[in-house]
Amino acid sequence: MKKLLISTVLLALFTPAFAGIDQGIDKGMTHISVLGGFAVPTTEYGFSPTNVGASFGDENFDYGDVGPTYGLQIMHYLTQNIGLGLEFNATNYDAAEYSLSAMGFSETIKTSADKYAMFLAGKFNFAPDAKTRLYIPVGVGFAKYKGKMESDVFGEEEQSATKPALYVGLGVESDLNDIFIWGLEARYNHWWMDDNKFADTSYLSDISLLLKVGVKL
């Protein structure tokens, strides 16, 4: 009986906060979403192993392998079509391994990385009144990138840099009911690099696929 009474009181307290929320997007609405999925590196370091002691000048390394990516986003709708918010996003790339040999010399090199980013996030909705909506997500901010390169001959080296970053993508989301939403989102992620820290390139990038679960406020 006590549990039933507590449940009834909580329902009475929170029901007004969600009253009047209909299908689709309304001006002034806020979404809080959790995102999770995986990211696939799409660029290389442009880095020669001569930097770690071996003489293999024609090799380039991926900065990591496919790894998990996840984030938290709050999005407020200025109009039905346009949302503006903040997002924290992180990616932990798995290690990529390379075995090299030349003139009787062999070396194994592993590369891995982590990336943590904060974005000013934007969103453009198509058909905002519909239960299921197509949208374009964009983000501009900064990413802290931490890379590691390990050699079984010459040891390991770590570098980090905080640089501008952005993303653009395509997503679809749907209302589960008057409160909860879910969706899928594909993004191209791009961030700049110091070309004297591992990379002989001015930027790195990946493509991510994210599942999104959120709540309407």
Side-chain angles (χ1 to χ4, degrees), residues 82-116:
I82 299 174
L84 189 65
L86 293 173
E87 179 182 330
F88 169 77
N89 185 274
T91 306
N92 307 116
Y93 303 99
D94 290 339
E97 183 173 319
Y98 301 87
S99 296
L100 309 173
S101 62
M103 297 179 293
F105 180 87
S106 63
E107 181 181 8
T108 299
I109 294 175
K110 293 182 180 180
T111 56
S112 58
D114 299 297
K115 177 167 61 76
Y116 305 94

Side-chain angles (χ1 to χ4, degrees), residues 25 29 31 33 35 72-89 118-126 134-141 165-173 185-189 210 212:
I25 302 294
M29 181 180 286
H31 285 182
S33 302
L35 303 101
L72 179 65
Q73 182 186 87
I74 181 167
M75 180 69 62
H76 181 75
Y77 293 92
L78 306 177
T79 70
Q80 281 191 297
N81 296 97
I82 299 174
L84 189 65
L86 293 173
E87 179 182 330
F88 169 77
N89 185 274
M118 183 65 73
F119 294 104
L120 177 64
K123 183 178 176 185
F124 181 82
N125 294 301
F126 298 94
L134 194 67
Y135 66 90
I136 296 175
V138 296
V140 179
L166 60 85
Y167 70 79
V168 62
L170 184 65
V172 60
E173 69 182 13
E185 194 170 306
R187 295 180 179 179
Y188 168 75
N189 303 282
L210 297 159
K212 175 176 68 176

Side-chain angles (χ1 to χ4, degrees), residues 3 18 28 67 87 89 100 125 132 147 149 151 158:
K3 290 183 179 179
F18 298 108
E87 179 182 330
N89 185 274
L100 309 173
N125 294 301
T132 300
M149 185 171 290
S151 166
E158 294 187 17

